[in-house]
Structure formats: structure tokens, C-alpha cells
Amino acid sequence: MAVVFQKPKSLTDAELHYCPGCTHGIIHRLVAEAIDTLGIEGKTIGVAPVGCAVMAYNYFACDMVEAAHGRAPAVATGIKRSLPENVVFTYQGDGDLASIGMAETVHAATRNENITVIFVNNAIYGMTGGQMAPTSLPGQVTQTSPYGRDVKVAGYPVKICELLAGLDGPAYLERVAVNNVKNVKNAKRAIEKAFRNQIEGKGFSLIEVVSSCPTNWGMTPEKALQWVEEKMIPYYPLGVYKDKTEEVAK
Amino acid sequence: MAEKVLMKGNEAIAEAAIRAGCRHYFGYPITPQTELAAYMAKRMPKINGVFLQAESEIAAINMVYGVSGTGKRVMTSSSSPGISLKQEGISYIAGSDLPCLIVNVQRGGPGLGGIQPSQSDYFQATKGGGHGDYHLIVLTPDSVQEMADLTALAFDLSDKYRVPAMLLADGTLGQMMEPVALPEEHVNRVEKPWAVTGTEGKRKHNIINSLYLVPEQLEEKNLERYRRYKAIEENEARFESYMMDDAEYCIVAFGIAARVSKNAVVALRKEGIKAGLIRPITIWPFPKKVIAEAAEKVKAFVSVELSMGQMIEDVKLAEDCKKPVVLCNRVGGMIPTPDQVIETVKKIAGGNA
Amino acid sequence: MAKVTFQTDLCKGCGLCVAACPKKILVIAKDKINKKGHSPAEMTDQSQCIGCAFCATMCPDCVITVEK
């Protein structure tokens, strides 16, 4: 018998602190699998966010830097400019990347900074206990939108892939989800591509991963994944939003 | 001695940084430090270095954080309002024990303030600035020559102690031109085994971080840092004493205020008033010992500042209320004249006579 | 012939593996409690396992190793 599935070696032995059923664990594993597959653990440097994934530095076995809230793309820019031969990725949530760190996100993208950004969109601030995120859906009930997100007051959700696709800079933008086996496998392919793009010098790649937060959504893990399918994905359609990687190759 | 060249203060900082082995500069335009960024933009691409104009001061300081984490010499520069924006990043850099150089070519404040010289960021520079218990090593040049020399020293001290360093200048020093003998090329190769450079599969992963959720660990981290701060206070306080041997009136001033004060000391001596100057070259660590020693001998202190009186608090703490301390100041971009300093000293001397 | 092993003490009992299993041979063992205080997932009938690794694919905590 051969092992067909086991924990990737680019994850440490540290036990994940995430809530039961939180898909951060799946996304961590996909990132680690990409690092393993490409054989780049020894030259990869990750940048952790502020948010639920703040302690990602304990989970990835590669060198890690913990950034201030939203600043990961700027920190990654510094690292990549210092060590262009290394592989640099950020792992950020929606509050981090799409709210407080919007300027850093947009400008790293428009510079086509040769980094990989893993953007976890679960439509809520998890770490602080379930407040409205820049990506919370219209009508979504959160601690700070107790009557549902009123777009007349709080505005509309930020669609990062669509927004960044309007820039000339970024090389690759794709939105995936991790709510079922098929989507997880597709997310794995996309994340691996985002790392490969960097190795091939193609520039800024961002993978938005539509994800769940059972605890703060107030659902069972299984129900939360159904909510991803029924509510999140229709608002955040999956697919490739920009791909300059082929034209660069020509 | 190297040949002297005529340079602006801001440019002297830039060239000295390059000669100190700094190959990464991140900044955002702001008056009156623009020449520094412009110099870096011109020079860095020629020497395989990195100049990047960031989208904000916040991004610039975080790029500095990133490079410093990889173990390389790195700097940013700005002026007062921009330095306020950088405080978040500076706190993280201090909390992660990373070295770097931050240059503040001060202008008047608060708020948008003005674009003329000031020293009103003294508290911000020496008492923390951002959140948490931390210090920067703060060096205060008073000439274009020192802009260069202290830049080189700042990198060395920062690397040695793993404490971010700040060069605190002002608009006058940044803009004025003087002959300067540039420091020799030097790179102080301090081992940085903590740097994130990729594990190469040869070691456990390094983590650059300021988060400690276990309070005992965070406390110990702070205590360890303060042991380093204590060593810095004991070993690195720098100052210049000018005509202090027999002085009865001690002027304390740094930067451009010290230059004005030196003229005042000479003029006062001509009139038979024994004035002297202690010029702090580091304001953190503050040269407390020399001030305390002076307190045993002089009749009074005069703190000359381009602020509403910030350094005067450190002077009072250092001399321990042994002698009166009088403030002589201008603010808002104005600079005290030698006459103003002379009049202040004379008034005290008259009162004491 | 396939074999699925659980690192039971890492399991948080979220049930995503149970929902993903096409053969419906995984359950949350309500009568057991692991080191973390969760009722862990376990397999009811190893002989029916096809080694598809859907369970491991959906497991957020790398609890599951699959051999085939």
C-alpha cells in the first residue's frame, strides 16, 4: 500500500488553533502542498497577517514574518526586493487585505510585485468575534451589522478580483473556493500556479479563496459550506479574472 | 582625510548611507527631505541597489521592516507628518528587534504645520512615538558633516543592539550646503542568524514577530530589550562640550539650535559672561551624566530649542532640580537668534549677580 | 483495498470528512472524547473504503492519512 494522502511536510507539527471546521486549515494545507510540490520550502518566506491567521508563522515550516494589520504586501515587497531569488508569499484575510490594507494590496498589484498573495475571503472579521468585513454580503448579520449589512449605510462588499483586474499590473488573479472536494482540488491547482508564476518571474499573483467561518456565521461547519455555495459564490463568482502569464511567456 | 565636497545635508545622509552598505531605500515624497529620496533614486539603480517610492509612509516603513528582516541594511526618510504615519511600523520594528535607519528632517507642527525647520518631534523621537515600551537610538547632527558621520554610526549602532535608529535633523540642516568629507566605504558585518533568508533545509524556520500572547513571555521580551537599552544608555550617550571648563551658565542645545548657541557662547564670553554649551549628539540615550556633573558647577541652565520646550524636561531630570533651567525657544519654523540666546543668559546672569 | 488512519487527538469533530465521504462510512463518535475534548471522527467499515481521500481533502486539521 502506498500513501495517497498525508500532511504536507511544509506544515510544522504545531496544532492549528482554528475553530472546528474552519477552512483556514484546508487553505494552509493547500499552500504547504504547493510549496512541497515545487520543492521550494528552503527558499520560501511567508508573511502572516493580523486576523485569525495571525499565528500562521507557527504553522508553515518555512521562514516567516508577522506583519502589521494590512501591511503584508508592503512587507513582502521589502523581502522580495531584498531576496529576489527567494519565493515570497502573503496569507491574508478579508479585513486585512481588502479594508485596512487596501492601499498596500492595490499598489503591490499595480507594481506587479513578483509575489504570491493568498487571500482568504470569509466575509467576516473572525479573530475579533464576528464583525462586518469589507466583503460581508448585503444583508449579512454580523456583530456590527446586527440588522444585516445595509448597503445604504455601510456600502457594498469589495470584490477584490474584479477590482484588481482593472489594473494593468497584476499577472494573475483567480477566485476559487474550498467548500467541496472539487473546489478544493481546483483551489490547489490555482495556488500552485500562483507560486509557479512567481518562480517563473511572471509577477503578482493573487488567489482569492472563498471560505467559511462557521463560528461567527453561527452555523455548523457543513451548513457553512452550503452557505458558501448558496450565498457567497453567487456574489463572488469563481474563475480567472486576469491572466497575463501567457502573454509574458510569448 | 577624504577630499571635501560641497553637498546639501539631505544628500550627505544619502551618500553616507550608501557608503555604510545600505542598498535599500523606501520613501514617500515630503518637504523638506525630498533631496534625500531624489539622490537615492538617482544612485541606487547604478549600484545594484533598490530605490522604491512607496504608496505611503506606512507602506515605506513596512518595506523597511521586510528588508530588515532579511538581515540587510535599509532605511527610510521623511519629515514630521510622515514620521507620524510611520509610527505603527516603527513600533513593530522595535518590537521585532530589527535594525534600520529612519531619518526625520523635522518641520513645524502639529498637523500639517509648516515646511520650515523645527525640533518639535523631540518627544515623539525620544519617548516612544508609537505604542508600547520601546526606544530608538536617536542621533542629532548639527552640520552637514555630522549628517554624514552620524548616518554611518546610526547603522552600526542599530545593527549592534538590534534597535532601530533615528537621525533627527531639521529643515535647515537638510537644505543647507556645506563642505563634507564623506565617510569611507564600510560595512559593519554583524552576524544576523535570526534573519529570514530561507531555511535551505538546514535549520528550523526563523520567525520575525512581535506577538506574544503569553504575558510572561511578553514581559520577558520587554525586560530583555530594556537590558539592551540599559547597555546603550551606559555606552552610547554622546555629546560635545564647548567652553564648559569654567562655565557658569550652561546652554543645552542640539542640531541647528546648538549652532546658534555656539555663536552666543562666543559673544557672551567676549562680554565677560562665562557661558558654555553642552550639545547632545544622542538625545536617546540622553547624555545625563555630563548634565548632572555640570549641575554641580554652573549657576543655571538654558535649554535652547525649536519647540515649546521638550528637551528641557530631560535637562531638568538630568540635573535633578539642582539649578534653575530656563527655556529659550522659537517655534513654528522660526529659529532663535544668537541675540535671543545672549539676552536670555544675560537676564539670568543679571538676576544672579 | 484502502486504509484510512486518523490522528484522533488532532480531530475537532467538525464533521466535514463525514459529509464528504461518498461511501457514508465515517461518523462522529459521539460516545468518545479526545484529548482536545472533541468527539472525533472514525470509520465504521474499513472494508468499504475506496481510498478516494475526499475525507482528507476536506479535513482542515490534517488528521487523516490515506493509503491505497
Side-chain angles (χ1 to χ4, degrees):
Chain A
M1 275 206 300
V3 172
V4 291
F5 199 106
Q6 65 183 348
K7 181 178 177 170
K9 68 175 176 50
S10 291
L11 287 179
T12 66
D13 290 333
E15 291 180 24
L16 303 180
H17 71 277
Y18 301 108
C19 301
C22 171
T23 42
H24 266 305
I26 297 176
I27 304 162
H28 279 30
R29 193 188 72 229
L30 297 181
V31 170
E33 283 172 353
I35 292 170
D36 280 5
T37 302
L38 297 166
I40 52 172
E41 186 193 319
K43 62 174 190 169
T44 298
I45 300 165
V47 184
V50 170
C52 281
V54 68
M55 283 184 288
Y57 54 76
N58 282 332
Y59 306 140
F60 291 107
C62 58
D63 275 355
M64 293 295 294
V65 178
E66 165 53 34
H69 201 20
R71 315 300 172 218
V75 175
T77 295
I79 297 168
K80 188 70 184 181
R81 297 286 178 129
S82 171
L83 301 170
E85 300 305 316
N86 287 59
V87 177
V88 182
F89 76 93
T90 72
Y91 186 103
Q92 304 174 258
D94 40 53
D96 192 90
L97 181 140
S99 189
I100 196 166
M102 183 60 103
E104 286 78 6
T105 304
V106 169
H107 284 273
T110 204
R111 285 193 302 267
N112 198 21
E113 208 65 56
N114 191 24
I115 60 172
T116 302
V117 174
I118 307 301
F119 167 39
V120 179
N121 177 4
N122 64 1
I124 204 143
Y125 283 82
M127 179 61 94
T128 44
Q131 295 79 28
M132 186 185 72
T135 51
S136 291
L137 298 179
Q140 188 178 337
V141 172
T142 72
Q143 199 183 68
T144 50
S145 56
Y147 309 111
R149 181 179 187 148
D150 180 352
V151 294
K152 289 200 290 294
V153 177
Y156 289 86
V158 178
K159 297 179 174 180
I160 283 292
C161 281
E162 289 85 337
L163 186 138
L164 295 181
L167 300 171
D168 291 338
Y172 191 78
L173 305 168
E174 182 173 356
R175 184 182 289 130
V176 297
V178 287
N179 60 315
N180 58 41
V181 171
K182 180 169 157 266
N183 282 344
V184 170
K185 288 188 170 170
N186 190 46
K188 179 182 160 86
R189 174 204 50 78
I191 288 170
E192 197 180 304
K193 179 169 173 64
F195 276 94
R196 188 172 285 117
N197 286 345
Q198 182 180 165
I199 294 164
E200 292 170 359
K202 288 180 175 161
F204 185 90
S205 299
L206 179 145
I207 306 299
E208 175 173 347
V209 187
V210 178
S211 171
S212 68
C213 180
T215 300
N216 289 300
W217 290 358
M219 298 175 197
T220 65
E222 201 188 338
K223 275 266 178 297
L225 294 189
Q226 278 168 23
W227 202 78
V228 167
E229 186 71 39
E230 289 160 14
K231 305 284 183 187
M232 292 276 286
I233 292 175
Y235 201 90
Y236 298 108
L238 309 184
V240 176
Y241 283 80
K242 194 175 190 85
D243 186 359
K244 289 200 307 183
T245 59
E246 293 310 312
E247 66 187 72
V248 173
K250 272 174 206 163
Chain B
M1 191 65 179
E3 198 184 327
K4 289 198 171 185
V5 288
L6 192 65
M7 277 183 117
K8 270 195 176 188
N10 285 333
E11 294 171 342
I13 293 172
E15 183 56 34
I18 289 168
R19 288 174 184 230
C22 175
R23 290 294 180 276
H24 293 82
Y25 172 92
F26 303 92
Y28 185 86
I30 187 169
T31 306
Q33 62 79 54
T34 310
E35 295 82 3
L36 207 170
Y39 192 93
M40 289 299 197
K42 217 183 273 178
R43 283 277 280 141
M44 282 300 193
K46 308 272 185 203
I47 53 173
N48 238 341
V50 172
F51 165 86
L52 187 60
Q53 181 168 319
E55 58 269 30
S56 68
E57 282 92 349
I58 297 169
I61 192 70
N62 281 286
M63 291 169 186
V64 168
Y65 174 72
V67 173
S68 183
T70 67
K72 294 191 185 162
R73 286 191 162 177
V74 57
M75 71 178 289
T76 184
S77 65
S78 191
S79 180
S80 310
I83 296 293
S84 292
L85 275 168
K86 289 185 196 291
Q87 292 303 331
E88 175 200 60
I90 294 172
S91 173
Y92 277 70
I93 290 169
S96 303
D97 299 312
L98 294 178
C100 70
L101 175 63
I102 302 136
V103 176
N104 181 1
V105 183
Q106 294 169 95
R107 56 189 253 186
L112 205 44
I115 57 168
Q116 299 300 325
S118 170
Q119 296 180 330
S120 54
D121 300 346
Y122 181 94
F123 282 153
Q124 187 196 50
T126 60
K127 312 294 179 195
H131 61 281
D133 278 319
Y134 75 90
H135 283 291
L136 310 175
I137 296 168
V138 187
L139 300 144
T140 57
D142 80 333
S143 64
V144 174
Q145 184 64 55
E146 271 196 357
M147 293 283 243
D149 294 344
L150 296 185
T151 295
L153 177 64
F155 276 112
D156 289 349
L157 292 178
S158 187
D159 271 354
K160 181 175 175 189
Y161 293 101
R162 288 183 69 180
V163 170
M166 175 175 276
L167 197 73
L168 191 71
D170 63 67
T172 316
L173 291 165
Q175 298 295 322
M176 74 186 189
M177 293 185 88
E178 282 183 329
V180 53
L182 290 161
E184 298 292 312
E185 298 266 352
H186 87 293
V187 181
N188 182 10
R189 278 266 167 258
V190 175
E191 289 292 317
K192 296 178 177 176
W194 44 264
V196 290
T197 52
T199 64
E200 301 292 347
K202 290 174 188 150
R203 56 164 169 78
K204 199 173 166 286
H205 66 164
N206 282 339
I207 300 171
I208 304 288
N209 180 32
S210 58
L211 177 68
Y212 297 88
L213 289 174
V214 180
E216 288 85 352
Q217 286 176 8
L218 183 55
E219 182 180 50
E220 180 43 42
K221 209 61 208 163
N222 274 278
L223 294 174
E224 184 279 322
R225 196 169 294 123
Y226 267 73
R227 287 194 285 274
R228 264 182 288 141
Y229 290 160
K230 190 158 185 287
I232 295 169
E233 288 195 277
E234 280 165 7
N235 302 320
E236 308 298 348
R238 285 168 166 78
F239 60 91
E240 177 194 359
S241 268
Y242 182 68
M243 296 198 181
M244 278 301 296
D245 284 350
D246 60 344
E248 294 177 349
Y249 301 97
C250 175
I251 298 168
V252 185
F254 69 91
I256 193 67
R259 288 175 72 125
V260 172
S261 299
K262 249 183 206 176
N263 290 336
V265 167
V266 172
L268 285 162
R269 289 264 170 181
K270 276 185 189 153
E271 294 187 39
I273 296 171
K274 288 181 177 170
L277 169 72
I278 294 174
R279 175 174 74 89
I281 295 172
T282 56
I283 52 172
W284 199 91
F286 193 72
K288 293 178 203 167
K289 207 166 139 244
V290 67
I291 302 277
E293 285 163 5
E296 303 295 337
K297 296 188 280 187
V298 304
K299 291 179 177 168
F301 291 89
V302 177
S303 188
V304 182
E305 303 182 47
L306 278 66
S307 76
M308 289 306 291
Q310 299 191 15
M311 181 181 68
I312 191 170
E313 295 192 4
D314 281 337
V315 177
K316 284 180 178 174
L317 281 171
E319 61 102 39
D320 207 13
C321 299
K322 289 202 169 97
K323 299 289 159 62
V325 187
V326 175
L327 178 67
C328 173
N329 68 327
R330 293 295 298 273
V331 296
M334 300 303 292
I335 302 174
T337 60
D339 282 346
Q340 188 189 343
V341 180
I342 291 163
E343 285 314 308
T344 307
V345 175
K346 277 186 179 170
K347 215 166 143 189
I348 308 166
N352 277 2
Chain C
M1 180 63 183
K3 190 178 157 211
V4 173
T5 42
F6 292 79
Q7 261 190 287
T8 302
D9 275 336
L10 292 180
C11 181
K12 294 170 184 164
C14 73
L16 292 186
C17 58
V18 176
C21 179
K23 303 301 278 185
K24 304 290 172 208
I25 49 172
L26 296 180
V27 293
I28 296 298
K30 291 253 163 57
D31 56 334
K32 291 179 186 157
I33 280 188
N34 69 6
K35 200 172 74 181
K36 285 179 180 291
H38 296 293
S39 292
E42 64 179 25
M43 183 168 273
T44 54
D45 186 357
Q46 184 81 55
S47 68
Q48 285 193 52
C49 178
I50 54 171
C52 66
F54 283 12
C55 53
T57 303
M58 292 309 293
C59 175
D61 293 281
C62 291
V63 171
I64 305 166
T65 302
V66 184
E67 292 164 276
K68 204 173 173 179

